[in-house]
Amino acid sequence: MTHVKFFRRGGIYYGFEETGHTGFAESGDDILCSALSAMTMLIINTIEISYAKEVDYEVDEGATRISVKCMAALPEYSEDEKAQYAISGLFQGYFFQLNDLCEEYYDFLEVEEVDD
């Protein structure tokens, strides 16, 4: 099962951490794992290229862990309100997308929010 923990501060999404294998299918045929990977890279690339903001991310394939954070989503780290809104919206959109996927893949995917 893949567990995805989303990080929020003051109701603003600024990152997530994915751990574990979905186990939906064999490696190379796991469409759920492929979807998560594609969406994660879309978020990283969009923030870095389209919004020109720094993304802290770490991929640990051995531990099956991916951590993605962008502090520019938070007002205390950036004065660019449009970028804050857009970046937080990407993370929030991913949160809702994964919750939709949980309805069908509940044995393979778990999502939570953590406020700090």
Side-chain angles (χ1 to χ4, degrees):
M1 175 177 282
T2 297
H3 179 86
V4 186
K5 182 187 320 181
F6 283 85
F7 304 108
R8 291 187 318 182
R9 184 176 299 161
I12 299 170
Y13 292 81
Y14 67 92
F16 59 89
E17 180 180 75
E18 300 174 353
T19 56
H21 289 291
T22 64
F24 181 73
E26 294 295 320
S27 181
D29 292 323
D30 192 331
I31 60 170
L32 183 57
C33 181
S34 295
L36 296 177
S37 296
M39 289 186 282
T40 296
M41 290 312 301
L42 173 70
I43 290 168
I44 292 168
N45 288 328
T46 300
I47 294 170
E48 285 185 333
I49 297 166
S50 297
Y51 303 133
K53 300 296 181 185
E54 184 177 330
V55 180
D56 295 320
Y57 65 94
E58 180 182 332
V59 178
D60 185 345
E61 292 182 23
T64 63
R65 181 182 158 276
I66 300 171
S67 175
V68 179
K69 291 184 181 176
C70 182
M71 303 314 280
L74 300 169
E76 59 265 32
Y77 292 92
S78 174
E79 294 180 12
D80 185 345
E81 290 181 9
K82 289 180 182 179
Q84 290 171 23
Y85 183 77
I87 293 165
S88 181
L90 281 172
F91 289 127
Q92 186 178 33
Y94 189 36
F95 171 78
F96 287 119
Q97 179 65 35
L98 292 186
N99 275 290
D100 286 347
L101 285 174
C102 281
E103 291 178 17
E104 185 171 342
Y105 300 102
Y106 52 85
D107 286 335
F108 308 98
L109 182 63
E110 181 177 63
V111 178
E112 74 169 310
E113 296 169 297
V114 175
D115 290 307
D116 66 0

